[in-house]
Amino acid sequence: MWFVYTETPTVGMAAPVRASERAYRQLRGEILDGILTPGAGLLEIEQSARIGVSRTPLRAAIARLIADGLVAGRPGRGFMVTEMSVDSIRELYEVRRALEEHAARIAADRRDPAVFLALRDQFLAAPELLAQGTAGLHRYYDLIDEFDDAVGDAVANPFLVGALATVRTHLARIRRLARGNPDRLRSAATEHLLIIDAIIAGDTSLAAHATHVHLQQSLTNVLAAIQGQPTGPVA
Amino acid sequence: MWFVYTETPTVGMAAPVRASERAYRQLRGEILDGILTPGAGLLEIEQSARIGVSRTPLRAAIARLIADGLVAGRPGRGFMVTEMSVDSIRELYEVRRALEEHAARIAADRRDPAVFLALRDQFLAAPELLAQGTAGLHRYYDLIDEFDDAVGDAVANPFLVGALATVRTHLARIRRLARGNPDRLRSAATEHLLIIDAIIAGDTSLAAHATHVHLQQSLTNVLAAIQGQPTGPVA
DNA sequence: CGAGCATTCTATGTATACATAGGAGCTTCA
DNA sequence: TGAAGCTCCTATGTATACATAGAATGCTCG
């Protein structure tokens, strides 16, 4: 109606991004970035007006967010962003451990060595990357994403990849809390290297155990970071 | 996923079921029962007319089914019930193994012995149950559900329970294929007993390994059953 | 002054009308 | 006769109007 479909900045992309997709991505991003804080109420009318779509696609977006576990419906009180308690973080890591260990084990069995050899070189350069400020930090997180994707490609199991994606969605909310601890990130890079070496060597057991150690360290760090700043880390 | 929708399973209540909920349950049930076969196209108008709701709640239902992985959207050609190939069954069991082993391990650590002692008695009576025809068969499957619920209660982890629920949803579609093999079901009951004993004893390692064995046997049986009747088991 | 109740208001749940894209089938031309 | 283009048609995507339930609030009565 009042807005036209001419907002396709990328050349060649004739994809008329659906309104429900835009609303979903925006709300999801805002929840993950902490702009929409846990407990915040999501009113359909309010949000649809803010984002610039009607209620119908917004409802579709909220339905997807509920499926993601990022939003919960209250009995007669609309919707709200789900809380992330310390207990739920422990619970999340419990599942994450089961899935990532299994994934690492399988990846060590089915991997394409070349892919992980390339990743190995990049992780070796991680310490230098972390000395480059914010840009290097983002680059480092992208690198972790690449590693996760490589593992996902290696396991080649849509169910497992999907379950991991769900876990990582919630993880993204947690990661904000512990972000920017250089010492921890350097340690994490070392742990990732160990996992990668195990995968390259095809050592399924070592890959699983190295993943276990890494996740335990990660959880410890996250919990410590939360203790340091117990107040909600609202941006 | 774990929806917070108010369940009203109590008798006598008939009215306050939302149309989207009705549509979701009916479609989900029909997919799980094989009435809607894999590859079948779901047309909004057609289905909304059949079920007796308008397109809006039907779309909400389909959105939930997509989140469940039971329905997939085709590029420009509507929606369809997802396929269940032999490969996807193996993939499903791969994830299931990771989750159920972990759950069994945790359950053995946090369980309330009384609950599993009671389940033990019921599983001991399973062979007699299986000799009672269809009614006993249903009772047996209910018993397995009770066991699954008991494990879920013991782990007390919404993320893990949710992930398991997703896996079990797909499992329900597979179970039809191998349904009604008395020998296998008796063996399964024995395997469940072993797991239960391990949980009661608090033997986390044994619980995990017994679960592993059980799932491997289950997968073998399912794959054999599919080989036996390669054609689609449409009812 | 407090408790119970009715009212009102708000936000979701539902239905329907309209816009649009993508494909199937027909027509037409070489 | 075959292929290419066009048209129509169907099914989804979106917007909006209406119904309804639940909660907050204010009013009234004891």
Side-chain angles (χ1 to χ4, degrees):
Chain A
M1 290 291 281
W2 60 92
F3 67 91
V4 201
Y5 280 103
T6 51
E7 44 180 315
T8 49
T10 51
V11 206
M13 279 300 295
V17 180
R18 297 194 296 283
S20 62
E21 185 71 19
R22 273 195 308 143
Y24 171 72
R25 290 184 189 172
Q26 177 167 347
L27 289 175
R28 189 176 190 277
E30 289 177 353
I31 292 173
L32 262 43
D33 289 344
I35 299 172
L36 290 173
T37 60
L42 287 182
L43 295 314
E44 285 186 2
I45 299 174
E46 170 187 312
Q47 295 298 323
S48 64
R50 185 172 68 89
I51 297 179
V53 300
S54 79
R55 280 182 55 209
T56 307
L58 189 92
R59 279 182 71 81
I62 289 185
R64 290 177 64 182
L65 293 172
I66 291 177
D68 290 342
L70 294 174
V71 168
R74 291 181 288 193
R77 258 301 251 264
F79 306 98
M80 58 171 280
V81 180
T82 52
E83 308 273 357
M84 285 297 296
S85 67
V86 172
D87 278 345
S88 70
I89 291 176
R90 284 207 187 86
E91 292 162 357
L92 181 68
Y93 266 81
E94 205 166 71
V95 182
R96 193 187 174 200
R97 201 181 299 156
L99 293 173
E100 300 249 29
E101 278 185 40
H102 209 69
R105 194 181 294 273
I106 296 171
D109 188 50
R110 306 181 189 162
R111 90 293 175 197
D112 171 11
V115 174
F116 288 92
L117 282 169
L119 278 171
R120 187 177 190 279
D121 290 338
Q122 293 196 262
F123 269 100
L124 279 173
E128 308 161 19
L129 214 57
L130 292 171
Q132 294 175 8
T134 309
L137 197 66
H138 269 89
R139 187 70 195 82
Y140 175 76
Y141 281 111
D142 288 343
L143 182 55
I144 292 181
D145 286 342
E146 287 179 38
F147 169 73
D148 287 339
D149 289 342
V151 172
D153 290 345
V155 300
N157 182 333
F159 291 102
L160 182 49
V161 170
L164 274 171
T166 300
V167 168
R168 293 204 183 110
T169 293
H170 292 272
L171 189 68
R173 301 179 69 185
I174 297 172
R175 214 174 248 171
R176 295 179 51 251
L177 308 179
R179 176 158 289 188
N181 182 340
D183 289 335
R184 169 58 199 151
L185 293 180
R186 262 186 293 276
S187 300
T190 305
E191 292 160 18
H192 272 111
L193 267 176
L194 189 56
I195 299 171
I196 290 173
D197 283 337
I199 291 177
I200 292 173
D203 190 332
T204 56
S205 181
L206 181 57
H209 286 94
T211 299
H212 185 107
V213 169
H214 167 59
L215 293 181
Q216 188 62 43
Q217 296 285 82
S218 173
L219 175 58
T220 301
N221 176 67
V222 167
L223 293 179
I226 291 176
Q227 295 301 330
Q229 35 177 291
T231 57
V234 186
Chain B
M1 294 300 158
W2 56 100
F3 292 97
V4 203
Y5 291 149
T6 54
E7 298 278 338
T8 52
T10 54
V11 286
M13 291 303 295
V17 180
R18 297 194 291 288
S20 63
E21 185 70 20
R22 270 195 309 145
Y24 171 72
R25 290 184 190 173
Q26 176 167 348
L27 288 174
R28 189 177 190 274
E30 289 177 351
I31 292 172
L32 262 44
D33 289 345
I35 299 172
L36 290 173
T37 59
L42 287 182
L43 294 316
E44 285 186 2
I45 300 175
E46 169 188 311
Q47 295 298 323
S48 63
R50 185 173 68 89
I51 297 179
V53 301
S54 79
R55 279 183 56 210
T56 306
L58 189 91
R59 280 182 72 80
I62 289 184
R64 289 177 66 181
L65 293 171
I66 291 176
D68 290 342
L70 294 175
V71 168
R74 290 180 288 193
R77 196 61 178 179
F79 305 98
M80 58 172 281
V81 180
T82 52
E83 308 274 357
M84 285 296 296
S85 66
V86 172
D87 278 345
S88 70
I89 290 176
R90 285 207 187 84
E91 290 162 359
L92 181 68
Y93 267 80
E94 205 166 70
V95 182
R96 194 187 174 200
R97 201 181 297 157
L99 293 173
E100 300 250 29
E101 279 186 40
H102 209 68
R105 193 180 296 272
I106 297 171
D109 188 50
R110 305 182 190 161
R111 90 294 176 196
D112 171 11
V115 174
F116 289 91
L117 281 169
L119 279 170
R120 187 176 191 279
D121 290 338
Q122 294 196 261
F123 269 100
L124 278 173
E128 308 161 20
L129 214 57
L130 292 170
Q132 293 174 8
T134 308
L137 197 67
H138 269 91
R139 188 69 196 81
Y140 176 76
Y141 281 111
D142 288 343
L143 182 55
I144 292 182
D145 287 343
E146 286 179 38
F147 169 72
D148 287 340
D149 290 343
V151 172
D153 290 345
V155 299
N157 182 333
F159 292 101
L160 183 49
V161 170
L164 274 171
T166 300
V167 168
R168 294 205 183 109
T169 294
H170 292 273
L171 189 68
R173 300 179 68 186
I174 297 172
R175 214 175 249 173
R176 294 181 50 253
L177 309 181
R179 175 157 290 188
N181 182 339
D183 289 336
R184 169 58 198 152
L185 292 181
R186 262 186 292 275
S187 300
T190 305
E191 292 159 19
H192 273 112
L193 267 176
L194 187 57
I195 299 172
I196 291 173
D197 283 337
I199 291 177
I200 293 172
D203 189 331
T204 56
S205 180
L206 181 58
H209 286 93
T211 299
H212 185 106
V213 169
H214 167 59
L215 292 181
Q216 187 63 43
Q217 297 285 81
S218 173
L219 175 58
T220 300
N221 175 68
V222 166
L223 293 180
I226 291 176
Q227 297 301 331
Q229 36 176 288
T231 57
V234 185

